[in-house]
Amino acid sequence: MALNNQPESVSSVLKTFAILQALSSQKDIGVSELAQRLMMSKSTVYRFLQTMKTLGIVSQEGDSEHYSLTLKLFEMGAAALEYVDLVEIANAEMSNVATVSGEAVSLGIEDGDSFVYVHKLDASHSLGVQVRVGSRHSLVDAALGNVFLAEKSESETKRIWQETGGDDDTDFATLMIKLEAVRKKGYAFDREEHEVGVIALAVPVYDRFNKAVASLSVDMPTVRYSQDVCDRYKAALLQAAAAISSKLGCAKYPYQQAVA
């Protein structure tokens, strides 16, 4: 692919990755050698390298024209790999929950003041809740998000709540009561608050530091909801979350008594 025959924004990305790929092939490379190898002007290569240096992606050897990769990209890749491993570990336990419930089972991770769906298993029913992997939602909005929100301080929760448009003290007090129930019982319950016609149950997944790194949920249409159904799905979710947490190094799932 010719780098110079692309729109400017695309060309810049291609040139950046070409430089990164070249740098990954040996410990350090000079600007002149890079320019020659990639068939770019020396000034262009230098400009890109200086930008990457500012971002901490490459380092310059003193005042020389030689550059090498830092561990920045490795750190980013390792962070992404953590979630890939999480999906692989969670999939079998999610399948067990899907077998018990026949409903959509989802896995979400916290990202800033939001959560993102990273894995899902569709419902076996013709009428099932649809979840899109990669979609992002506020922590305030749904049971999956409330699991993460329950781990935060009141002041942090209020900041997030206000940034979603919340301004009524009574509504915030109601939210805090709801989150206290999540902390006490070990699961979040969403009755058509996030989406009309949908009921969701969600439980936390913990790592070896007892930090909630993911949230596991069952989503069902209101027409199939009953208290008995809720209790069965809650038990299946907690059992699955405890098993996933154990594989992530959590010594004792905080809601082990609810699982037993």
Side-chain angles (χ1 to χ4, degrees):
M1 182 183 292
L3 299 182
N4 294 325
N5 295 331
Q6 302 294 322
E8 184 177 351
S9 58
V10 176
S11 177
S12 294
V13 174
L14 292 174
K15 288 175 181 176
T16 299
F17 274 89
I19 292 171
L20 290 173
Q21 190 167 17
L23 287 170
S24 70
S25 66
Q26 64 188 76
K27 185 176 180 181
D28 60 77
I29 310 178
V31 176
S32 298
E33 183 182 347
L34 266 176
Q36 184 177 9
R37 184 186 300 187
L38 301 174
M39 293 184 292
M40 298 181 198
S41 69
K42 187 174 178 179
S43 61
T44 298
V45 172
Y46 177 78
R47 187 173 70 252
F48 274 78
L49 285 170
Q50 285 300 304
T51 300
M52 286 188 268
K53 178 183 174 182
T54 301
L55 294 172
I57 295 173
V58 303
S59 61
Q60 183 177 4
E61 294 188 9
D63 294 327
S64 74
E65 67 165 20
H66 282 254
Y67 292 80
S68 59
L69 289 175
T70 67
L71 293 178
K72 181 81 170 183
L73 292 177
F74 174 79
E75 292 169 359
M76 294 168 66
L81 184 61
E82 177 183 343
Y83 298 126
V84 173
D85 291 342
L86 173 63
V87 169
E88 291 177 355
I89 290 170
N91 187 65
E93 298 301 332
M94 290 173 66
S95 296
N96 292 337
V97 177
T99 299
V100 170
S101 67
E103 304 290 355
V105 182
S106 305
L107 184 72
I109 61 169
E110 183 179 4
D111 185 31
D113 295 344
S114 309
F115 74 88
V116 178
Y117 288 105
V118 294
H119 190 42
K120 69 162 185 173
L121 297 177
D122 291 328
S124 58
H125 302 283
S126 56
L127 174 63
V129 178
Q130 299 300 312
V131 170
R132 183 169 61 85
V133 171
S135 61
R136 177 185 298 269
H137 304 274
S138 167
L139 299 182
V140 179
D141 283 347
L144 268 173
N146 285 178
V147 165
F148 297 115
L149 205 58
E151 301 277 321
K152 301 186 182 302
S153 66
E154 182 173 344
S155 60
E156 180 68 0
T157 298
K158 190 163 190 175
R159 179 191 64 77
I160 295 171
W161 174 74
Q162 288 175 332
E163 290 182 359
T164 62
D167 60 4
D168 185 277
D169 288 342
T170 301
D171 288 346
F172 181 69
T174 301
L175 174 63
M176 291 305 297
I177 292 172
K178 181 180 180 181
L179 296 179
E180 179 58 32
V182 175
R183 287 187 286 269
K184 182 178 179 180
K185 298 177 181 179
Y187 69 92
F189 180 74
D190 175 354
R191 192 184 189 103
E192 299 188 86
E193 296 166 31
H194 177 56
E195 184 177 349
V196 175
V198 174
I199 288 177
L201 289 164
V203 298
V205 172
Y206 293 94
D207 64 7
R208 65 185 183 278
F209 303 111
N210 288 327
K211 177 186 176 183
V213 292
S215 183
L216 192 64
S217 76
V218 167
D219 301 86
M220 73 194 93
T222 54
V223 294
R224 287 200 292 271
Y225 171 78
S226 71
Q227 188 58 53
D228 176 63
V229 164
C230 178
D231 291 342
R232 285 193 293 113
Y233 295 178
K234 178 182 65 178
L237 278 171
L238 285 168
Q239 185 172 4
I244 298 168
S245 298
S246 177
K247 292 174 182 177
L248 292 176
C250 178
K252 184 177 181 182
Y253 190 68
Y255 303 102
Q256 196 68 45
Q257 188 173 358
V259 176

